[in-house]
């Protein structure tokens, strides 16, 4: 990589910075007319960047006051011994009651490897891609964990481009392999449909997460597969997409009487939404276990404490967090991304809530 001619004079004088303004990778990149990717790789002494560029980038970074984090860690290695996990919140003010165990699992796993974990909330109004860019460009982490992946995820494309280690909770449909841990949601969707059909419900509903997310589409694929195997069609009107919050679940359930007065069952593919769904049924004079059957899915054991307890496809958010940490450490160590993919099969906890009393 050759430097533009304009870099000669820059190397001989001290670059200017705006007082009080945080110096990021982009600040350094703009000062040198280089890409953020090149600056990031130069600070890590990547083999694809020549020695002259590495020295110049490090010199300008020092002069501008750039630091990977508040501890002023070593520019030579670029290591921060920290990772970031970005957590989206789907609705402002709504309860989000399951992320703590995932964060605990990630933090526990990374701490055992000598890393600390930074939690980055992504609020409803935030640009998901910009949230990731900001975290990467400030240079405060050695790796990133993403959740809520999309089929063509721009955040994943960006992380592949800048070549920073990362792992996703969820898969994408991108051609490029990337580290991921995921639940076999297609298998869950298929099994849930079979359970409800076998229990005698001719037209069960699927209450799925937002269709922008890969795992929601996998639920639908498995659900449809089970119906097709029995030569049954799945009308679009029997599939509803909603945020995975108690508020959203309650809203859907209160509309069931109007939308589907004949409905007797649903797979609510989120424990949080199922919590609200139960409350919504009561508001319209219906009751789970008496005249409406429910199966759910999630990474906690909330299903054991619902009234009535619900059959659920369960995985441990805590253990998923530990697996994400383990794969991220291996990604940081430079292992082949194609070998860093794990698919977890959810466990059925059967409380017989797919059946109706009597």
């Amino acid at each position: 990589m050759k430097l533009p001619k304009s870099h000669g004079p820059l190397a001989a004088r001290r670059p200017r910075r705006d007082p009080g303004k945080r110096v990021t990778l982009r600040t350094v990149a703009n000062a040198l007319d280089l890409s953020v990717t090149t600056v990031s790789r130069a600070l890590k002494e990547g083999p694809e960047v020549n020695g002259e560029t590495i020295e110049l980038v490090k010199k300008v970074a020092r002069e501008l006051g750039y630091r990977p984090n508040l501890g002023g860690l070593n520019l030579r290695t670029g290591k921060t011994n920290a990772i970031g996990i970005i957590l989206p919140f789907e609705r402002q003010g709504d309860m989000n009651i399951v992320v703590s165990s995932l964060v605990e699992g990630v933090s526990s796993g990374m701490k055992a490897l000598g890393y600390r974990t930074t939690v980055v909330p992504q609020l409803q109004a935030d640009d998901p891609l910009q949230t990731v860019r900001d975290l990467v460009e400030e240079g405060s982490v050695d790796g990133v964990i993403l959740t809520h992946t999309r089929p063509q995820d721009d955040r994943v494309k960006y992380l592949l481009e800048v070549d920073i280690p990362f792992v996703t909770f969820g898969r994408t449909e991108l051609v490029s392999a990337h580290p991921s841990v995921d639940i076999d949601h297609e298998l869950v969707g298929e099994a849930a449909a079979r359970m409800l059909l076998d229990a005698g419900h001719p037209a069960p509903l699927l209450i799925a997460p937002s269709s922008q997310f890969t795992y929601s589409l996998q639920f639908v694929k498995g659900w449809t597969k089970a119906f097709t195997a029995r030569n049954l069609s799945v009308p679009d009107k029997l599939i509803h997409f909603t945020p995975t919050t108690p508020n959203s679940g309650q809203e859907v359930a209160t509309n069931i009487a109007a939308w589907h007065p004949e409905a007797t069952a649903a797979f609510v593919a989120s424990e949080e939404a199922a919590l609200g769904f139960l409350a919504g049924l009561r508001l319209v004079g219906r009751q789970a276990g008496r005249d409406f059957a429910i199966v759910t899915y999630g990474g906690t054991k909330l299903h054991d404490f619902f009234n009535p307890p619900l059959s659920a496809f369960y995985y441990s958010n805590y253990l998923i967090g530990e697996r994400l940490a383990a794969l991220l450490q291996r990604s940081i160590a430079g292992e082949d991304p194609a070998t860093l993919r794990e698919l977890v099969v959810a466990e059925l906890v059967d409380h017989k809530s797919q059946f109706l009393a009597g």
Side-chain angles (χ1 to χ4, degrees), residues 3 66 77 108 140 146 173 185 209 231 249 280 289-290 303 322-323 347:
L3 293 174
Y66 170 79
T77 64
S108 176
S140 60
L146 298 179
E173 295 177 359
H185 297 105
N231 295 316
R290 184 189 67 192
H303 49 263
E322 288 190 324
R323 295 312 307 150
E347 167 195 356

Side-chain angles (χ1 to χ4, degrees), residues 315-334:
Y315 66 92
S316 167
N317 254 325
Y318 182 87
L319 294 180
I320 290 294
E322 288 190 324
R323 295 312 307 150
L324 288 167
L327 261 64
L328 182 57
Q329 192 276 333
R330 290 169 60 188
S331 180
I332 292 172

